[in-house]
Amino acid sequence: MLDKILPANIADAIGRHLNYDKVYEIRMRLNRPVVINYAGKYAHLTDGGLSDEPENAFKLDRKAAEGLIYRASGHSVYAFNDQIKQAFITVSGGIRIGIAGEIVWENGKVVTIKNFTSVNIRIPHAVKNCSLNAFRHIADGTVNNTLVISPPGAGKTTFLRDLCVQFSRLVPIQNVLLLDERSEIAAVSEGTPMLDAGLYTDIMSGCTKEFGFSQGIRSLRPDIIVTDELGTSADIAAAAQAMLHGVKIIASAHAYGHKDLTVNPDFNEIIKKRLFKRYLILSSRRGPGTYEGMFDENFNALTLY
């Protein structure tokens, strides 16, 4: 898929010198060196492969940036504008393309982004059984409401995807609802998940979490809801309401630790009510998906890694 989106010279160099299975990110900034996260390490991309030096690296020009977004949107930028105005495009396989550029406002709302200046392509990778060390604390006879805490790029999405698979192994069967707002956890394309999210997982893609919690519970009656990146007051309130109604919630949040969340009044209220029974902290200290610790509702350490 990537070779159909990337500028030809960049796609050719990657194809000749690199293994796509180890390409995690491709970062392109207008008129600046192209940088690749390859197997967890950043380096510059040149015609001869990766280099620590920026001098001979490929650079993204205006025409190449516009062409990349045009191809990623299926040759119809207008059709993808709802995503573009949120600064991303998700394409087949769960590949997410983050976008920076000139934000166009109208009547106090973002209507689109134009004159793209940065493109960040994030390629998902399934890591089988990566959630197993934490799973024994999340499902220890009952399923515990769990919040996965980590900064961006530390493996939350990969962890949540594998956790859905682990839930499929529970007896009796647990019905899981995955709220995949940006279509990057299960990477649903034309109704088919491109990445394994478990045998008993129903997937709602492209919806807000508020919609997914309210309508998903009514229509699909899940035992467990898995979702990424709680952030807005509406997200947090919807998750809290679901927990109070007996649905188990597994969610993630951007932070470096639980103390960072307490400055958010909505999160602080959930923490004080002890609605989440488990807190898992991830980092990228030793690479994406580094476990730092599992904690109970009082933030007592169950396991430190």
Side-chain angles (χ1 to χ4, degrees):
M1 182 64 187
L2 276 176
D3 58 347
K4 298 177 181 178
I5 296 173
L6 291 167
N9 58 344
I10 293 174
D12 177 66
I14 293 175
R16 285 187 288 115
H17 299 291
L18 305 181
N19 179 348
Y20 269 111
D21 289 340
K22 297 181 180 181
V23 177
Y24 298 158
E25 279 186 314
I26 305 171
R27 306 190 72 111
M28 293 172 279
R29 303 171 175 96
L30 194 64
N31 300 321
R32 283 175 285 173
V34 172
V35 175
I36 287 186
N37 183 328
Y38 192 69
K41 179 183 177 181
Y42 284 106
H44 305 93
L45 180 66
T46 74
D47 189 56
L50 296 179
S51 171
D52 291 332
E53 303 300 327
E55 285 76 12
N56 296 318
F58 291 113
K59 294 179 181 176
L60 186 73
D61 60 28
R62 176 75 64 191
K63 183 178 179 181
E66 299 287 345
L68 190 155
I69 300 302
Y70 179 68
R71 292 187 295 275
S73 61
H75 308 288
S76 177
V77 175
Y78 176 80
F80 275 70
N81 193 57
D82 282 346
Q83 289 189 15
I84 289 173
K85 65 185 181 183
Q86 298 179 69
F88 77 96
I89 293 176
T90 301
V91 298
S92 179
I95 297 169
R96 189 168 75 174
I97 302 174
I99 302 165
E102 294 181 24
I103 314 300
V104 180
W105 293 79
E106 187 175 291
N107 298 323
K109 295 182 178 180
V110 176
V111 295
T112 195
I113 299 177
K114 65 178 184 179
N115 295 331
F116 308 112
T117 57
S118 294
V119 178
N120 178 28
I121 300 176
R122 297 176 64 183
I123 301 98
H125 296 273
V127 181
K128 188 176 180 180
N129 294 329
C130 68
S131 67
L132 272 183
N133 283 342
F135 187 68
R136 60 192 176 92
H137 293 293
I138 295 171
D140 57 357
T142 185
V143 175
N144 294 289
N145 296 323
T146 300
L147 188 65
V148 181
I149 304 170
S150 85
K156 293 187 300 296
T157 301
T158 304
F159 178 88
L160 291 175
R161 183 188 304 117
D162 187 70
L163 200 59
C164 288
V165 175
Q166 303 307 327
F167 283 134
S168 294
R169 298 171 181 168
L170 290 177
V171 177
I173 289 173
Q174 299 292 300
N175 297 303
V176 178
L177 172 59
L178 173 60
L179 304 182
D180 196 0
E181 186 173 1
R182 294 194 170 192
S183 299
E184 58 182 346
I185 301 177
V188 173
S189 177
E190 297 182 355
T192 301
M194 298 292 104
L195 298 169
D196 184 12
L199 293 175
Y200 310 118
T201 301
D202 304 305
I203 304 167
M204 296 182 74
S205 299
C207 66
T208 65
K209 294 180 182 66
E210 187 177 9
F211 176 90
F213 277 113
S214 62
Q215 301 307 316
I217 290 173
R218 290 175 182 172
S219 61
L220 294 166
R221 200 203 62 73
D223 301 302
I224 305 165
I225 293 179
V226 177
T227 188
D228 60 343
E229 297 180 16
L230 295 182
T232 69
S233 295
D235 293 348
I236 298 166
Q241 191 69 17
M243 285 187 276
L244 291 171
H245 282 81
V247 180
K248 301 300 184 180
I249 303 298
I250 314 295
S252 67
H254 280 156
Y256 283 91
H258 76 272
K259 291 183 179 179
D260 292 346
L261 297 179
T262 60
V263 300
N264 181 318
D266 299 301
F267 266 124
N268 196 37
E269 189 66 21
I270 284 183
I271 290 170
K272 287 193 296 185
K273 290 181 178 178
R274 295 173 171 78
L275 294 182
F276 283 111
K277 301 303 181 183
R278 297 289 184 266
Y279 293 88
L280 173 66
I281 298 179
L282 299 178
S283 77
S284 55
R285 186 164 54 93
R286 297 186 300 273
T290 299
Y291 282 39
E292 295 294 340
M294 174 70 80
F295 303 84
D296 67 13
E297 67 267 36
N298 298 309
F299 292 102
N300 295 315
L302 298 173
T303 302
L304 294 175
Y305 298 95

